[in-house]
């Protein structure tokens, strides 16, 4: 089981095809309706990966405000 402080390897694709691959550290853990929830801080992101994530979060934030 993951615990706060654990380091893990993360890999995922953002909409549009940007591939993110980096290490992350678990910074918080909680329980949700479907099971455990985790907050992960990404470590050593390349500049293009950070920009892709920021762009994705910004686009989702705009979409939420518009609805």
């Amino acid at each position: 089981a993951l615990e706060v402080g654990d380091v893990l390897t993360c890999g995922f694709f953002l909409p549009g095809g940007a591939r993110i691959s980096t290490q992350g550290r678990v910074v918080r853990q909680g329980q949700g309706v479907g099971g455990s929830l985790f907050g992960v801080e990404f470590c050593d992101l390349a500049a293009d990966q950070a920009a892709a994530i920021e762009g994705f979060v910004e686009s989702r934030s705009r979409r939420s405000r518009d609805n």
Side-chain angles (χ1 to χ4, degrees):
L2 289 174
E3 296 182 10
V4 172
D6 286 351
V7 175
L8 53 113
T9 299
C10 303
F12 56 93
F13 290 91
L14 293 174
R19 182 175 189 274
I20 308 298
S21 181
T22 189
Q23 287 197 328
R25 182 175 51 253
V26 178
V27 294
R28 63 183 166 271
Q29 189 271 336
Q31 292 298 312
V33 174
S36 296
L37 303 171
F38 298 93
V40 176
E41 176 183 17
F42 299 127
C43 306
D44 300 324
L45 277 175
D48 61 330
Q49 292 178 326
I53 292 170
E54 289 171 5
F56 170 73
V57 170
E58 185 177 304
S59 72
R60 298 292 292 193
S61 295
R62 273 195 307 267
R63 189 181 310 168
S64 293
R65 284 193 305 260
D66 293 342
N67 289 329

